[in-house]
Amino acid sequence: MKEISILIGGKAGDGIRQAGQTVSTLLNRIGYRIFFYDDYPSLIRGGHNFSIIRASEKRIIAHKDSVDIIVALNKDTAEKHKSRLNAEGMILYDSKAVDTEGVGIDFMQIVKQLDGLPIMRNTAAIGALAKVLGIEWPVVERVMKDTIEKQVALNLNIAQLAYEKVGTSRFVIEKLDQKSLPLVSGNEAIALGAVRAGLNMYIAYPMTPASAILHYLAAHEDDLGVVTVHPESEIAVALMALGAAYAGARSMVGTSGGGFALMTEALSLAGQGEFPVVFIECQRPGPSTGVPTYTMQGDLSFVVHAGHGEFLKVVLAPGDAEEAFYLTGLAMNLAWKFHIPTFVLSDKHLSESIFSFAADPDKIKPEPPLIWDGQGKYKRYLDTQDGISPLAFPGDPAATVKVTSYEHDEYGITTEDPDQIARMQEKRLRKKEGLIDELAKNEQVKIYGNRESKTVLLCWGSTKGACIEVAEQLGLKVVQPLVLKPLPIDPLRQALSDADMIIGIEVNATGQLAKLLSGHGFGIDHMILRYDARPFTVDGLLDKVKEVIS
Amino acid sequence: MAIKDYLRERFFPHLWCSGCGHGIVLNSLLRALADLGMSKNEIVMVSGIGCSSRISGYVDFHTLHTIHGRALAFATGVKLSRPELNLLVPMGDGDALAIGGNHFIHAARRNIDLTAIVMNNRIYGMTGGQYSPLSGQGIMATTAPYSNIDYDFDTVELAKAAGATFVARSTTYHTQQMTKMFRQAILHEGFAMVEILSQCPTYFGRKNRAGSAIDMMESYKENTTPIGSKSKMENPDLIERGIFVQKEVPEYCNEYDKIIEKAMKGR
């Protein structure tokens, strides 16, 4: 397989992510499929940042621990990551800052020579790297023109001088005969999926790793037309979203575990009042502030069980950018069809990684909700056969729309009558039948690898990328449920019934999916858990799976 | 429109205790709406939880009876998606300024066009007579059986400091003034806050030996005075009534429209 992995590292503030994205674009332009992983501390300046760009001729959604090239803008990068280098690997380094073996170039000297800014050191590094990779200068030039916003000519001169200083190329990265795909982060895919499903309003309080959804939608208010609001707290966020939904706007909120903790009050209100709202929960390691800029799949139990009282909700768990796109669209349409809160459960590894994106936008359309026909007196909570009460919105001259957090009658007026209470609870829960039918129209459990294998790697969310590649190498089967509530029992049973050995693979300390499934009679034989706030890599997981199956 | 048409009479008699001031607030509010000739369908009332919040059940408007303290946040979401609607947000003192204090100052700061009504009876009624952030020192409450040591907020000063562009105070004794204030608050473009001192004879009155509902209302007459009156100068303990702030400042939804226009420039 034609592929290459490049690690770029430096201090926070060196523009590492930006440099990594430019390198990704470069390789993307010549036909490679990209997976981009970003590792950064919760700091604005200093510390150690690095990005790994993995490019391959085939679709990939995971990175490896081992790399072919390290681009070291500081000493730390060379020292911390040297051990990752493959046998043929090399280090391209800033010779002023680092003393090591490989190709050393004084990037700062180049920047100074051309009167550039210190941050442009990463431009020099990109230029040099392009030469190391054997990429022709015109390709580099075109990509830099497309990706750099300011001082294009200056940046190009810096990159070109560094490109020339390298002398001979060390690798031959051939141009591949396949079309480039857009490079999209998990968060962008979530935003775009919601927009395709008719998102009107996105409300959020800043919290890593969900913040980029708010940044993206705010920056694109001009062309995507979504109203974005950043209010005083996640409590206000969730309430505003419910208020907007009441008034007919398709609204969505996004946060991480700590922010979602504040939203659970409103979540219950969405259950009682039957509000359609989409919640995006981008997990990061907890408890509490935890490790803010790293990853964990630690909130599955919390989200599945969140909210006091008994009510219907949907939890969807995408594992790559396309799934993030489709499932967010589905979450929006399900919310409005059944008037329930729906969830997309992401994590830092999915949200902030960048993928070659091959989704079909036409697969998502905003499905109109059931609207009141204007006959008789409007009852917001009309008791219907499928539990779905037609919607009317405030301002409608024929309807008075009353909703409440109290148990209520069909008109939305508070009640303490035992028959009414039981009846309305049944009405709401009855929607589950239709919901299950609707979910069944979609793929709920994905299977990868060797379908005949009796050894199953059971995973969810962003862990799928590493699992799929490991399974392909070892001839195993991967089972990935996309729907985590209501659990798709039959498809799971079908996928798991032949298995002799089920290995649960999760990025958490207690095996939350395994626990959830064990409550439905599925036995998990082995667990491979990672809870050091880092995602599984292909090579790292391969060794662990080999240990278990040997 | 006749006041009666704003009501959902089949839910009467209401649940407020006899002598409670909240019915008087409802009365004045409906009169203000009738004076303004507003139709039911252009009004959305959003309330939280507490005695005051039950007001939304008795009116034939679009209503949202939400959760404790959150009415303003909820109303902001409604207003943002449907700016043409008139949002009325009646709240209790605990609702607005204890659990909902953060939403209160931020809604004021944003200057979003809502009419916030704080029905201040200085106590939690529905949950059994606990003190609120508006009770003040020396007040007896279920949670302060030997008297309260917490200082109270001055709702008017708080709203002013937070940036409210219409700030007023009256009492259930001064119904004409209250009705007029509601009219002005509703017409005001921006965040309007009206505090109404409203008696709770059941809890506040009994625990603090404040007498009957009538005695409590009379105390509003005796202990309040128009803003800047001579008697205030003579007796600084008097509580001022009237409109403290009324100014024109760009409103949030309008400003949002301008930002969208700016972003769309050239498209």
Side-chain angles (χ1 to χ4, degrees):
Chain A
M1 183 167 79
K2 287 174 190 155
E3 73 160 66
I4 191 156
S5 286
I6 301 158
L7 183 149
I8 303 182
K11 295 194 301 290
D14 281 345
I16 297 301
R17 183 175 168 96
Q18 190 52 50
Q21 283 180 310
T22 306
V23 173
S24 301
T25 308
L26 203 53
L27 293 161
N28 179 55
R29 272 311 155 81
I30 53 174
Y32 285 82
R33 301 295 175 247
I34 306 294
F35 180 79
F36 174 88
Y37 167 75
D38 194 25
D39 188 303
Y40 63 101
S42 185
L43 282 171
I44 305 302
R45 291 285 180 268
H48 175 61
N49 274 29
F50 69 94
S51 297
I52 293 177
I53 305 106
R54 184 172 169 225
S56 167
E57 65 180 333
K58 64 163 210 166
R59 173 186 157 81
I60 42 165
I61 45 176
H63 64 291
K64 291 180 176 174
D65 284 329
S66 60
V67 297
D68 301 300
I69 301 173
I70 292 173
V71 181
L73 289 181
N74 67 352
K75 206 169 134 194
D76 263 6
T77 305
E79 282 174 4
K80 280 183 197 285
H81 300 290
K82 212 182 248 176
S83 59
R84 292 171 175 268
L85 273 184
N86 287 324
E88 305 293 312
M90 61 152 286
I91 303 182
L92 169 65
Y93 61 95
D94 184 328
S95 59
K96 259 282 163 53
V98 189
D99 180 20
T100 186
E101 281 170 36
V103 176
I105 291 176
D106 190 343
F107 295 131
M108 197 45 107
Q109 174 57 33
I110 294 172
V111 173
K112 278 186 186 154
Q113 192 182 324
L114 296 170
D115 287 332
L117 300 166
I119 186 77
M120 291 174 184
R121 206 162 59 109
N122 66 21
T123 305
I126 293 165
L129 175 64
K131 182 66 186 177
V132 167
L133 293 172
I135 299 173
E136 288 171 4
W137 175 252
V139 178
V140 185
E141 189 177 12
R142 215 172 318 130
V143 166
M144 293 199 97
K145 276 184 180 162
D146 290 350
T147 51
I148 293 171
E149 286 169 7
K150 287 178 196 162
Q151 312 224 49
V152 180
L154 178 57
N155 273 294
L156 271 173
N157 289 340
I158 289 170
Q160 192 168 12
L161 189 51
Y163 185 92
E164 283 159 6
K165 286 227 161 149
V166 171
T168 52
S169 297
R170 295 293 209 83
F171 293 79
V172 185
I173 300 298
E174 293 169 37
K175 192 171 186 310
L176 298 178
D177 188 23
Q178 56 182 359
K179 242 181 95 182
S180 328
L181 292 171
L183 293 177
V184 169
S185 72
N187 276 340
E188 287 165 352
I190 286 168
L192 291 169
V195 169
R196 285 297 296 179
L199 178 69
N200 300 119
M201 202 182 290
Y202 183 72
I203 310 169
Y205 190 84
M207 187 166 191
T208 306
S211 302
I213 303 172
L214 179 61
H215 303 166
Y216 181 77
L217 288 169
H220 287 276
E221 246 169 39
D222 55 345
D223 50 6
L224 298 178
V226 176
V227 170
T228 57
V229 191
H230 155 198
E232 61 269 26
S233 67
E234 284 90 348
I235 297 173
V237 163
L239 267 298
M240 283 185 191
L242 264 58
Y246 164 79
R250 290 193 168 215
S251 60
M252 182 166 93
V253 304
T255 186
S256 190
F260 178 59
L262 295 184
M263 294 183 182
T264 53
E265 177 193 48
L267 171 63
S268 267
L269 173 56
Q272 177 69 270
E274 301 189 48
F275 291 96
V277 168
V278 179
F279 291 80
I280 308 295
E281 217 266 48
C282 303
Q283 302 160 98
R284 69 189 214 188
S288 194
T289 309
V291 196
T293 59
Y294 287 84
T295 203
M296 196 72 83
Q297 298 182 299
D299 295 347
L300 170 58
S301 306
F302 175 39
V303 168
V304 161
H305 300 293
H308 56 285
E310 298 167 295
F311 59 93
L312 215 51
K313 65 162 118 62
V314 172
V315 180
L316 306 175
D320 58 36
E322 287 87 0
E323 287 171 3
F325 177 74
Y326 293 133
L327 293 182
T328 307
L330 179 64
M332 183 65 79
N333 280 326
L334 290 175
W336 280 86
K337 179 155 194 165
F338 295 98
H339 314 154
I340 51 172
T342 60
F343 287 79
V344 175
L345 192 54
S346 178
D347 58 28
K348 187 268 170 189
H349 192 49
L350 169 60
S351 280
E352 295 195 348
S353 295
I354 296 173
F355 304 77
S356 292
F357 186 63
D360 175 4
D362 293 330
K363 277 194 182 168
I364 305 178
K365 285 191 178 67
E367 289 163 19
L370 182 65
I371 300 291
W372 180 51
D373 61 7
Q375 300 301 306
K377 203 163 166 55
Y378 181 65
K379 295 172 172 174
R380 170 63 192 93
Y381 301 108
L382 182 71
D383 189 5
T384 59
Q385 208 170 359
D386 59 7
I388 300 170
S389 318
L391 290 175
F393 301 112
D396 185 331
T400 302
V401 188
K402 291 182 108 63
V403 302
T404 171
S405 66
Y406 277 87
E407 190 53 273
H408 43 261
D409 63 11
E410 288 184 298
Y411 290 100
I413 299 293
T414 301
T415 185
E416 284 165 349
D417 175 77
D419 296 334
Q420 286 273 17
I421 294 166
R423 185 177 165 207
M424 292 314 276
Q425 185 63 278
E426 287 162 10
K427 168 205 155 350
R428 287 190 295 272
L429 294 179
R430 201 183 306 137
K431 291 189 285 189
K432 188 172 180 181
E433 289 167 36
L435 174 65
I436 285 173
D437 290 346
E438 189 68 24
L439 281 166
K441 294 178 192 165
N442 297 273
E443 192 174 24
Q444 299 191 79
V445 175
K446 279 196 173 172
I447 297 170
Y448 296 92
N450 175 11
R451 294 176 159 264
E452 307 304 319
S453 174
K454 306 239 180 254
T455 303
V456 170
L457 306 182
L458 175 71
C459 64
W460 63 283
S462 66
T463 306
K464 74 178 281 187
C467 287
I468 292 171
E469 283 193 55
V470 168
E472 283 169 354
Q473 288 188 41
L474 300 177
L476 311 178
K477 179 176 174 180
V478 176
V479 173
Q480 176 211 5
L482 296 174
V483 182
L484 298 178
K485 192 181 176 80
L487 260 188
I489 300 297
D490 288 344
L492 273 170
R493 208 164 272 150
Q494 273 174 22
L496 297 172
S497 58
D498 286 348
D500 290 336
M501 186 197 279
I502 300 176
I503 307 170
I505 299 173
E506 301 184 45
V507 179
N508 59 47
T510 55
Q512 298 190 13
L513 177 65
K515 264 191 207 160
L516 193 65
L517 290 186
S518 70
H520 294 268
F522 295 100
I524 311 300
D525 304 294
H526 293 278
M527 298 295 301
I528 298 176
L529 302 175
R530 180 163 194 181
Y531 38 87
D532 58 358
R534 269 68 177 174
F536 280 114
T537 56
V538 177
D539 37 3
L541 182 62
L542 183 70
D543 292 343
K544 295 217 160 89
V545 173
K546 277 182 181 165
E547 266 173 47
V548 171
I549 59 174
S550 64
Chain B
M1 189 169 254
I3 285 173
K4 191 165 142 301
D5 295 331
Y6 289 125
L7 285 171
R8 297 202 136 191
E9 284 178 288
R10 68 187 177 94
F11 296 107
F12 282 75
H14 58 63
L15 58 56
W16 294 311
C17 307
S18 63
C20 173
H22 290 354
I24 301 171
V25 179
L26 173 60
N27 187 322
S28 279
L29 180 63
L30 297 183
R31 282 174 198 279
L33 294 170
D35 291 349
L36 293 171
M38 290 180 76
S39 83
K40 293 191 288 189
N41 285 295
E42 55 184 323
I43 305 166
V44 177
M45 182 182 275
V46 186
S47 65
I49 292 293
C51 296
S52 60
S53 299
R54 298 301 282 259
I55 197 168
S56 62
Y58 303 118
V59 291
D60 197 30
F61 312 143
H62 304 296
T63 62
L64 299 105
H65 191 173
T66 68
I67 41 183
H68 195 36
R70 312 294 176 223
L72 282 169
F74 207 110
T76 301
V78 178
K79 183 72 183 176
L80 269 169
S81 53
R82 298 291 296 276
E84 73 278 14
L85 297 172
N86 286 287
L87 271 292
L88 304 176
V89 190
M91 297 171 286
D93 39 316
D95 197 30
L97 292 162
I99 188 165
N102 201 31
H103 306 304
F104 181 87
I105 56 174
H106 287 279
R109 173 181 64 83
R110 248 176 237 126
N111 195 35
I112 188 162
D113 186 13
L114 311 170
T115 303
I117 301 165
V118 179
M119 297 153 77
N120 176 13
N121 56 17
R122 304 175 69 192
I123 201 115
Y124 284 70
M126 188 145 288
T127 49
Q130 299 86 353
Y131 61 81
S132 92
L134 299 185
S135 297
Q137 272 207 321
I139 293 303
M140 306 295 269
T142 314
T143 41
Y146 302 104
S147 93
N148 186 23
I149 57 168
D150 279 18
Y151 295 104
D152 53 342
F153 277 134
D154 180 326
T155 313
V156 164
E157 291 301 326
L158 186 66
K160 276 164 71 176
T165 50
F166 183 99
V167 179
R169 180 194 284 135
S170 189
T171 85
T172 51
Y173 183 88
H174 304 89
T175 53
Q176 303 286 341
Q177 183 186 38
M178 173 166 38
T179 302
K180 196 175 163 203
M181 261 176 204
F182 285 147
R183 281 203 303 266
Q184 288 169 288
I186 291 162
L187 291 177
H188 176 73
E189 199 173 340
F191 184 82
M193 194 291 292
V194 183
E195 180 189 22
I196 304 297
L197 308 183
S198 173
Q199 70 280 7
C200 171
T202 303
Y203 282 111
F204 189 91
R206 276 193 308 179
K207 285 186 184 293
N208 291 285
R209 300 177 188 278
S212 68
I214 294 165
D215 295 332
M216 292 177 80
M217 287 177 74
E218 279 189 340
S219 80
Y220 291 149
K221 180 188 168 204
E222 285 152 21
N223 296 325
T224 66
T225 182
I227 296 172
S229 69
K230 201 176 147 206
S231 43
K232 174 73 180 176
M233 279 180 259
E234 287 160 5
N235 178 7
D237 289 342
L238 290 177
I239 298 167
E240 287 177 301
R241 286 181 286 109
I243 296 170
F244 296 83
V245 177
Q246 187 171 20
K247 58 184 176 189
E248 275 182 45
V249 171
E251 191 272 333
Y252 186 79
C253 296
N254 291 337
E255 289 302 292
Y256 207 116
D257 285 345
K258 283 187 208 158
I259 284 294
I260 289 175
E261 210 171 290
K262 190 173 158 189
M264 301 290 278
K265 217 168 200 173
R267 279 177 188 273

